[in-house]
Amino acid sequence: MRLTVLKVKTLGPGRHFDAHGLCLVVRPTGSRSWVLRMQFKGHRRDFGLGPVHDVSLAEARCRAAELRKMVRAGLDPVKERGLRRANVPTFEIVARRCYEALSGGWKDRRHASWLSSLENHVFPEIGTKRIDAIGTKEVLLVLEPIWLTIPDTARRILQRIGAVLDFAHIKGYIPAEVSLRSVTRGLPRQQQQVTHRAAMPYADVPAFWSQLVAEANSVGRDALKLTILTAVRSNEARLATWREFDLDRGIWSIPASRMKMKLPHLVPLSEPAVALLRRLQKEHEALATGSIDDQYLFSARGKAPISDVTMLKAIRDAKIDTITVHGFRSSFADWAAECTNVPKEVTEKALAHRIPNAVEAAYRRTDFFEKRRDLMAKWAQHVCSGKGATAKKVIGRPRKVTMPGG
């Protein structure tokens, strides 16, 4: 009778045959290993397939089948396996090949972090090991020191190691897929932490706006003003060029390459936003010797775009320490929900969020542009109204929220 998983664990010392020459060798010491007995060029030979604790019954049967194919093809399994071992690359080599193959469709930030996380935490531990020697034991060795100290990074590293091992299997460096599902069972439970972005209550935005416009114009304050009036993400404002704007029609066309969801986005510009942009346009044209189409609206010395810190400094200069630039998108969303009758999908489109339902996304063709134009005009009217608490009252009482789509 063929072997079973239970028999493999419980059979006593001796040779216990499965089928087609595969047998389990149990020594008096209790060690268990797999051996394939077959003839090669007229001579009976035993080929070791590995210990039971590394090779399961199913894996042993697969390895035995591979060796029998080699023999039928006239190949010496010992020599072939030796050549294969000599040509097996290390984990680091395979990881870099995996990165080169997959990174073409990634965003810029992921380009940098994917490989750097492996260089910092993985390569020093297992980078020089052959890829076919990497299993749950080695992965656990990498994760144990960082699992609780930097949990988010540790989880991403686990996913990335899995991607490298899947890539290695596809490329033929390892014979079978390596499952890492059991790795986390050997690690302590991580405490779930949710990081919220601090958002200013929408009722306090007009007072903050009044304080903002009362200060001298600066590149950081101007960028923050446009970000607030349009409810865009900070990087969409920071990297904006004049080519994207049609001020006569009041439209800002952000290309897909600059959007988080990789879809083009039309932003209707309110009258205050157009007035701000026309002032900036005149200032840029007065200093330029040619076309300003490809110039950044908000630039450090006219060559590079400003950083997020530049806009954040405009908030900190107002003596407000707990509000983020991104939080103004939450302020806008709350205002739209509580002070207007605009449908939620219009607000979501204004924020350039992806429609979560794939079927609904496939059938919805409209971008609610005219409804969004009216919405942004009302938002600008609220922002510039000068009503609400004084800016100092905002200090220390932000409302923490999590934006669903960023």
Side-chain angles (χ1 to χ4, degrees), residues 41-99:
K41 295 185 177 179
H43 299 282
R44 187 178 297 278
R45 295 172 60 178
D46 285 350
F47 298 92
L49 303 180
V52 168
H53 61 76
D54 285 338
V55 182
S56 67
L57 174 59
E59 290 172 334
R61 287 169 176 167
C62 289
R63 293 187 183 186
E66 290 179 2
L67 293 185
R68 287 194 294 269
K69 288 180 182 178
M70 289 184 189
V71 170
R72 287 197 296 270
L75 301 175
D76 184 344
V78 175
K79 290 183 179 179
E80 290 297 318
R81 291 167 73 185
L83 290 174
R84 287 186 181 181
R85 286 200 181 103
N87 293 326
V88 172
T90 64
F91 179 88
E92 180 174 351
I93 290 174
V94 177
R96 294 187 183 279
R97 291 175 183 174
C98 176
Y99 171 78

Side-chain angles (χ1 to χ4, degrees), residues 368-386:
F368 304 110
F369 185 80
E370 292 305 322
K371 290 184 178 180
R372 288 192 290 119
R373 183 181 287 283
D374 181 62
L375 177 65
M376 300 315 294
K378 291 178 179 177
W379 168 243
Q381 185 178 5
H382 168 72
V383 170
C384 302
S385 66

Side-chain angles (χ1 to χ4, degrees), residues 212 216-227 276 279-280 283 298 311 314:
L212 189 64
N217 293 328
S218 69
V219 64
R221 292 191 184 98
D222 288 337
L224 182 60
K225 292 172 190 174
L226 184 65
T227 303
L276 169 65
R279 173 175 65 79
L280 293 173
E283 294 173 359
F298 310 109
M311 276 195 277

Side-chain angles (χ1 to χ4, degrees), residues 89-379:
T90 64
F91 179 88
E92 180 174 351
I93 290 174
V94 177
R96 294 187 183 279
R97 291 175 183 174
C98 176
Y99 171 78
E100 292 173 1
L102 304 181
S103 61
W106 295 346
K107 297 180 180 179
D108 292 340
R109 285 184 299 176
R110 192 179 177 193
H111 271 281
S113 65
W114 199 93
L115 196 57
S116 64
S117 65
L118 298 185
E119 290 173 339
N120 293 332
H121 303 287
V122 182
F123 294 166
E125 296 290 343
I126 62 173
T128 58
K129 291 182 177 290
R130 289 205 327 250
I131 191 68
D132 62 347
I134 304 300
T136 55
K137 177 182 176 181
E138 289 71 27
V139 177
L140 195 62
L141 180 68
V142 171
L143 296 178
E144 281 178 333
I146 62 174
W147 188 248
L148 295 180
T149 55
I150 46 175
D152 291 339
T153 300
R155 287 194 297 270
R156 285 192 289 267
I157 286 175
L158 176 58
Q159 294 172 350
R160 290 163 186 173
I161 292 175
V164 173
L165 294 174
D166 287 343
F167 178 82
H169 174 57
I170 292 170
K171 293 297 183 180
Y173 301 138
I174 52 180
E177 293 185 49
V178 179
S179 175
L180 300 180
R181 287 179 295 180
S182 62
V183 170
T184 54
R185 296 177 184 173
L187 295 165
R189 183 177 180 180
Q190 293 177 334
Q191 296 296 322
Q192 295 295 324
Q193 297 181 346
V194 179
T195 302
H196 298 286
R197 298 179 185 270
M200 180 179 290
Y202 68 85
D204 294 336
V205 174
F208 172 73
W209 179 268
S210 297
Q211 186 174 349
L212 189 64
V213 298
E215 300 290 339
N217 293 328
S218 69
V219 64
R221 292 191 184 98
D222 288 337
L224 182 60
K225 292 172 190 174
L226 184 65
T227 303
I228 294 173
L229 288 172
T230 55
V232 297
R233 299 177 180 89
S234 60
N235 67 303
E236 293 158 9
R238 290 190 305 104
L239 303 178
T241 63
W242 285 108
R243 188 182 298 278
E244 298 171 3
F245 292 87
D246 185 339
L247 298 185
D248 293 330
R249 297 170 59 202
I251 298 176
W252 178 9
S253 303
I254 308 178
S257 60
R258 292 210 306 105
M259 294 299 298
K260 181 179 180 179
M261 301 305 171
K262 296 306 177 185
L263 295 172
H265 183 52
L266 293 181
V267 180
L269 299 171
S270 61
E271 289 185 8
V274 172
L276 169 65
L277 290 166
R278 287 199 184 279
R279 173 175 65 79
L280 293 173
Q281 187 180 51
K282 288 181 180 179
E283 294 173 359
H284 279 234
E285 289 176 342
L287 297 174
T289 57
S291 173
I292 65 170
D293 285 353
D294 294 322
Q295 287 186 13
Y296 293 111
L297 273 67
F298 310 109
S299 175
R301 301 183 180 87
K303 295 182 179 179
I306 61 172
S307 68
D308 276 319
V309 177
T310 308
M311 276 195 277
L312 185 61
K313 183 179 181 299
I315 300 175
R316 299 295 178 257
D317 288 345
K319 308 301 181 183
I320 301 175
D321 300 327
T322 52
I323 303 300
T324 65
V325 177
H326 194 90
F328 284 104
R329 285 167 58 82
S330 299
S331 305
F332 166 77
D334 289 345
W335 168 84
E338 297 186 20
C339 300
T340 75
N341 295 320
V342 173
K344 182 181 178 181
E345 54 266 27
V346 177
T347 304
E348 292 294 297
K349 192 64 180 179
L351 292 167
H353 286 166
R354 186 187 296 277
I355 300 172
N357 187 296
V359 176
E360 183 182 357
Y363 282 93
R364 182 180 292 170
R365 303 299 177 88
T366 181
D367 65 355
F368 304 110
F369 185 80
E370 292 305 322
K371 290 184 178 180
R372 288 192 290 119
R373 183 181 287 283
D374 181 62
L375 177 65
M376 300 315 294
K378 291 178 179 177
W379 168 243

